[in-house]
Amino acid sequence: KEMPIQYEVYNGPLKSSLWFDDAYLVYTFEAKDMPAVKKEPHMVALDDFVPKLVMATLESWEAKSRWFHKVNEPQFEADDAIRAKVAELTAGMTNEEDKIAACVHWVADNVRYYGTKRGPCEGYTLHRSTETFRDRGGVCKDKAGMAITMLRVLGYETYPALTMAGSRVEAIPADQFNHTVTVMRNKDGS
């Protein structure tokens, strides 16, 4: 009851109701007799035209961003092995762009893209970079996290950013993402 949701229905009909008692808010959503989707060449993402319910308990994208940052910040701690790899990759380099490129290319070439099941860190929580470095594999969030950690070893301000490749993100601050990328602030502040 202390966590009401905000929600919106997109792209079609959906019956909804809200009931409450002393302990709970009970939300119900229902759709009947929905036709099967007929796929067409070059069609837009399903999320952009089939009936879709988006809901969240957070009040804004700013609150969602703060939550995402707090949950994931501990994942980017470098250990001695990661620091040694960054030192090896950038040894003798004086150009900052070359150092960045060396780390980013190492991640691209050495962290294989494959799904993992490493326990409670699925969904929007990134895995620890030490695990990704050890396993040399993971999905986009793991590759982004590894790049974040290596670039932080170089002294850069870096963060993960969620995005939705292939379809739009609606106004409700909900989990509507399918991709993670690395964002870096340049040393000049840009």
Side-chain angles (χ1 to χ4, degrees):
K1 196 167 196 172
E2 55 279 343
M3 292 186 72
I5 63 169
Q6 57 179 320
Y7 68 90
E8 189 166 349
V9 176
Y10 298 88
N11 312 324
L14 191 64
K15 180 182 171 187
S16 65
S17 67
L18 168 60
W19 293 84
F20 51 89
D21 61 27
D22 291 339
Y24 300 102
L25 298 175
V26 179
Y27 298 86
T28 304
F29 303 95
E30 179 182 350
K32 291 183 177 183
D33 302 321
M34 300 298 297
V37 173
K38 294 179 183 173
K39 294 201 175 210
E40 300 175 12
H42 310 292
M43 67 190 293
V44 298
L46 290 176
D47 286 348
D48 289 345
F49 77 92
V50 299
K52 168 173 73 172
L53 169 66
V54 179
M55 63 176 79
T57 57
L58 294 168
E59 68 278 2
S60 67
W61 281 111
E62 290 79 10
K64 178 78 169 181
S65 294
R66 285 190 294 277
W67 168 84
F68 182 74
H69 174 78
K70 182 180 176 184
V71 166
N72 285 296
E73 192 58 24
Q75 309 303 67
F76 310 120
E77 190 168 319
D79 63 5
D80 290 341
I82 294 171
R83 284 188 285 277
K85 179 53 76 176
V86 171
E88 173 192 325
L89 293 170
T90 60
M93 293 182 179
T94 56
N95 181 300
E96 292 296 313
E97 291 290 324
D98 291 343
K99 292 177 184 181
I100 293 166
C103 290
V104 170
H105 286 288
W106 184 89
V107 172
D109 293 341
N110 293 280
V111 179
R112 186 172 168 222
Y113 190 94
Y114 68 87
T116 63
K117 295 288 184 207
R118 294 191 234 172
C121 290
E122 299 308 320
Y124 300 101
T125 306
L126 282 70
H127 295 106
R128 291 191 178 278
S129 293
T130 52
E131 293 176 11
T132 302
F133 186 78
R134 177 197 68 214
D135 298 346
R136 296 294 202 271
V139 294
C140 59
K141 66 182 181 179
D142 304 309
K143 290 173 83 81
M146 191 76 254
I148 289 164
T149 301
M150 293 180 102
L151 293 174
R152 284 184 180 187
V153 168
L154 289 175
Y156 285 95
E157 183 181 344
T158 55
Y159 302 97
L162 297 173
T163 186
M164 184 63 163
S167 64
R168 69 178 181 257
V169 173
E170 308 297 357
I172 302 280
D175 297 337
Q176 312 171 55
F177 305 102
N178 64 7
H179 192 52
T180 307
V181 296
T182 301
V183 177
M184 183 184 86
R185 185 180 310 277
N186 291 310
K187 290 192 175 176
D188 68 2
S190 63

